[in-house]
Amino acid sequence: MVASQVHLVRHGEVFNPDGILYGRLPGFGLSKLGHRMAQSAADEIISRGRPVASVRVSPLQRTRESAAPILAAVGVEPTIDDRIIEPTNHFEGTVMRRALKKPQNWPFLINPLRPSWGEAYASIAKRMRAAIDDAFESVDEGDVVLVSHQLPIWISHLSVAGERFWHDPRSRRCALSSITTFERTTEPAEPPAAEPGPPVLRLVEVGYVEPAADLQASATDVGAV
C-alpha cells in the first residue's frame, strides 16, 4: 500500500515589517497571526479524521514553525525535504518596489516565461513532483503532509492540471496556510486517449481549502512576488 492522499500546506504569515523579499534567507519566522494560521491548518487536517503517517517540511524557519501544530497533533517527527523549499530569486533580500527602479536589475526581468529572475518553473515542477511521488511511496498507509511555500505549491497545481507555468504572481490560488490535496488514480484523463491502453497511475488534485481565510484579511505579508 502507499499513502492515500498527499496534502501540500503553505506556511502562515511571516513577520516581515520591512517588506523584504525573504526567499531562502534565514531568520524569517511566523508572525503571531502566522502561528494562528498554522494552527488553523492543523485543525483542518485533524478535523478530517484521516490518519497522518508522515509530515515532511521545507528546511526554512517559517515552514518548520508552520508544521509544529500538525506534528503536535499527529505525534510524528518531521522529515526535512530540501526539494520542497522556496525557489531561488535574484531579488532575495530586497524590497521589490525599490529594486525594480534600479537599471542593474532590469536584465533579470527580461524573460518572465522562465522566469529569468530565479529558478525555472520547469525545475520547480520537477523537484516538487519527485517529492510528491516519494511522499506517496514513503508510508504503508495513511496520508502525508508536505509543508511548503506558495510558488512550489502553485507550480505543482499547474503541472498536475496541465496548464502553462507562466502566470501573474498576484493570481496564485494559494493563500497562507491553505491546503492543496492530491491523490493517485488509474482513471483516464479527460478526454480519454484515442487508443486505450493499460492503466496508468497519474496524479490528480482533489481539494483546495483555506482554513485561515478569516485571518487572511488581517495579514500584512502575503508573500507573493
Side-chain angles (χ1 to χ4, degrees), residues 90-91 96-112 115-118:
H90 167 75
F91 294 98
M96 279 296 293
R97 66 179 181 276
R98 299 174 188 166
L100 293 177
K101 296 177 181 178
K102 298 180 178 180
Q104 62 265 36
N105 288 327
W106 295 349
F108 294 95
L109 302 171
I110 197 168
N111 183 8
S116 50
W117 54 81

Side-chain angles (χ1 to χ4, degrees), residues 166-212:
W166 180 81
H167 63 279
D168 183 340
R170 297 168 296 182
S171 69
R172 294 172 189 159
R173 184 218 62 186
C174 187
L176 293 164
S177 292
S178 60
I179 305 171
T180 304
T181 300
F182 296 100
E183 287 183 354
R184 280 174 160 180
T185 181
T186 55
E187 295 180 3
E190 295 293 340
E195 295 293 333
V200 176
L201 198 63
R202 65 186 184 89
L203 202 61
V204 293
E205 184 177 318
V206 296
Y208 171 79
V209 297
E210 298 180 1

Side-chain angles (χ1 to χ4, degrees), residues 70-89:
I70 302 173
L71 294 165
V74 302
V76 300
E77 292 296 318
T79 298
I80 300 299
D81 193 332
D82 292 332
R83 295 171 297 183
I84 62 175
I85 196 172
E86 188 83 87
T88 56
N89 193 311

Side-chain angles (χ1 to χ4, degrees), residues 129-207:
R129 181 55 185 264
I132 293 170
D133 286 343
D134 283 354
F136 272 108
E137 300 290 346
S138 68
V139 298
D140 292 330
E141 59 183 342
D143 292 357
V144 178
V145 175
L146 306 183
V147 186
S148 185
H149 307 267
Q150 185 190 65
L151 183 54
I153 295 172
W154 182 240
I155 290 296
S156 297
H157 158 78
L158 295 177
S159 178
V160 170
E163 299 180 15
R164 70 181 187 187
F165 292 150
W166 180 81
H167 63 279
D168 183 340
R170 297 168 296 182
S171 69
R172 294 172 189 159
R173 184 218 62 186
C174 187
L176 293 164
S177 292
S178 60
I179 305 171
T180 304
T181 300
F182 296 100
E183 287 183 354
R184 280 174 160 180
T185 181
T186 55
E187 295 180 3
E190 295 293 340
E195 295 293 333
V200 176
L201 198 63
R202 65 186 184 89
L203 202 61
V204 293
E205 184 177 318
V206 296

Side-chain angles (χ1 to χ4, degrees), residues 4-139:
S4 301
Q5 292 184 336
V6 171
H7 310 283
L8 272 58
V9 179
R10 187 185 172 196
H11 61 79
E13 184 196 42
V14 173
F15 180 69
N16 183 24
D18 297 323
I20 293 171
L21 196 162
Y22 34 77
R24 296 183 177 184
L25 294 176
F28 284 88
L30 298 184
S31 64
K32 291 181 179 180
L33 182 67
H35 283 286
R36 292 171 59 195
M37 289 178 169
Q39 185 62 57
S40 294
D43 292 344
E44 166 64 25
I45 288 173
I46 299 308
S47 73
R48 299 180 183 186
R50 302 178 59 88
V52 174
S54 177
V55 179
R56 298 186 168 200
V57 186
S58 156
L60 298 178
Q61 181 178 343
R62 58 189 180 274
T63 41
R64 289 186 283 110
E65 291 179 352
S66 295
I70 302 173
L71 294 165
V74 302
V76 300
E77 292 296 318
T79 298
I80 300 299
D81 193 332
D82 292 332
R83 295 171 297 183
I84 62 175
I85 196 172
E86 188 83 87
T88 56
N89 193 311
H90 167 75
F91 294 98
E92 182 177 279
T94 70
V95 177
M96 279 296 293
R97 66 179 181 276
R98 299 174 188 166
L100 293 177
K101 296 177 181 178
K102 298 180 178 180
Q104 62 265 36
N105 288 327
W106 295 349
F108 294 95
L109 302 171
I110 197 168
N111 183 8
L113 302 180
R114 183 187 181 273
S116 50
W117 54 81
E119 183 182 3
Y121 293 138
S123 171
I124 300 170
K126 182 177 180 180
R127 62 178 169 86
M128 286 298 293
R129 181 55 185 264
I132 293 170
D133 286 343
D134 283 354
F136 272 108
E137 300 290 346
S138 68
V139 298

